[in-house]
Amino acid sequence: MLTVRGKRDGGMWDCICDCGNPSVASTTQLKYKSKKSCGCLRRKSPPNMIDIAGNRYGMLTVIARAGSTDKDNATWLCRCDCGKEIPVNGTTLRRGQAVSCGCQRIDQARNAREILRTEKTVDGVPLPLLTKKVRSDSKTGHKGIYKRVRKGREYYEINITVKGKRMYASAVTLEDAIEKRKQLEEKYHKPLIDKHKETPPTN
C-alpha cells in the first residue's frame, strides 16, 4: 500500500510504498485506489519493457516510472521545460503525441493571435472571418443567407458584417439572396482583401 508523504504540483503526490520504494500518484489514483503500490504488486514486467527514464520528448524530460493506466500501460513522471511535472502514458510519449505539459499549446495560441493581428488584419478586420467557408449546419448552404418565415411567408435574410457592424438585406428566392450576398461581398469585403494583397510583408 502507498503512504502519502507530500504534495507536488499538478495534482500529484509523493508517496512511499510498503516495500520501501518511493512512488508518485495522482489525486484520482489515490481517491479510487487505482494505484496501490510502486508497482511491486503488479505482475512482473516483461523482459523487453522499455525503460525511458532520462529520455527527452519535445519539452518533456522523463524522471521516473509513475505507475500504470487501467490497461496496465506504463505511465512516467515527466518534467516540462516550464518546470511543471505531469504523469504521461509511455506510448503517448514515444509516438510524439505529448511534447509538453500543455504550456506549448498556450504559446501556440498566443502566437496565432499575434499573427492574426499583425499579418492577417486590415483596417481592424480579421481577414479569415471574411474568407471562411460556410458552416456545416447551414440550412441554405450559403454563408450569410438564412431562410426565415414571417406571417406565414417564407423569405431569405442576408446579412454581412463589416468592422463589427452587421447589415441586413432580404430576398424572396434563394437565387436572389445569393446574388445580393455576392454584391455585398464585392462592396464591403473585396476592398479589404485586395488591400491585404497589395500590402508588402512586414518581415
Side-chain angles (χ1 to χ4, degrees):
M1 296 293 292
L2 295 175
T3 301
V4 177
R5 303 180 67 181
K7 189 174 183 180
R8 289 172 173 250
D9 292 335
M12 301 300 294
W13 298 83
D14 282 317
C15 305
I16 187 74
C17 183
D18 284 352
C19 72
N21 288 326
S23 186
V24 178
S26 68
T27 301
T28 301
Q29 287 174 325
L30 293 173
K31 180 179 179 180
Y32 295 101
K33 297 182 180 180
S34 59
K35 182 176 181 180
K36 299 179 180 179
S37 72
C38 66
C40 59
L41 295 181
R42 295 183 294 106
R43 64 180 181 273
K44 185 177 179 180
S45 300
N48 63 343
M49 187 190 75
I50 301 175
D51 185 355
I52 61 174
N55 289 3
R56 185 174 175 84
Y57 300 88
M59 297 172 62
L60 296 174
T61 300
V62 182
I63 301 173
R65 179 76 179 268
S68 301
T69 65
D70 294 338
K71 295 182 180 180
D72 205 30
N73 294 322
T75 59
W76 299 84
L77 180 65
C78 300
R79 181 179 293 117
C80 183
D81 287 352
C82 72
K84 185 176 181 180
E85 294 182 358
I86 59 170
V88 185
N89 185 305
T91 301
T92 302
L93 285 169
R94 292 192 296 273
R95 289 178 177 175
Q97 297 171 340
V99 293
S100 76
C101 67
C103 61
Q104 189 180 58
R105 292 193 294 272
I106 296 174
D107 289 339
Q108 290 173 340
R110 187 183 298 113
N111 291 337
R113 288 194 297 270
E114 182 63 17
I115 291 174
L116 176 64
R117 185 185 68 83
T118 59
E119 299 181 16
K120 298 183 179 181
T121 298
V122 176
D123 295 344
V125 179
L127 294 183
L129 295 180
L130 309 185
T131 58
K132 68 179 180 180
K133 296 181 179 180
V134 62
R135 289 168 57 102
S136 59
D137 59 353
S138 171
K139 294 182 179 181
T140 65
H142 297 274
K143 185 169 62 175
I145 300 177
Y146 308 91
K147 190 174 184 178
R148 307 295 192 200
V149 178
R150 185 178 181 183
K151 296 182 179 180
R153 298 182 62 183
E154 293 185 351
Y155 69 100
Y156 292 89
E157 177 186 282
I158 308 102
N159 66 54
I160 191 167
T161 302
V162 182
K163 297 184 179 181
K165 295 182 179 180
R166 182 168 292 185
M167 293 173 287
Y168 297 88
S170 62
V172 176
T173 66
L174 179 59
E175 291 74 14
D176 288 342
I178 295 171
E179 183 59 32
K180 286 189 177 182
R181 172 70 192 196
K182 288 181 179 179
Q183 292 173 0
L184 291 173
E185 290 178 355
E186 285 285 329
K187 182 178 180 179
Y188 294 108
H189 287 178
K190 190 174 184 300
L192 295 172
I193 296 172
D194 291 343
K195 184 176 180 179
H196 176 260
K197 292 178 180 179
E198 296 170 358
T199 303
T202 56
N203 51 11

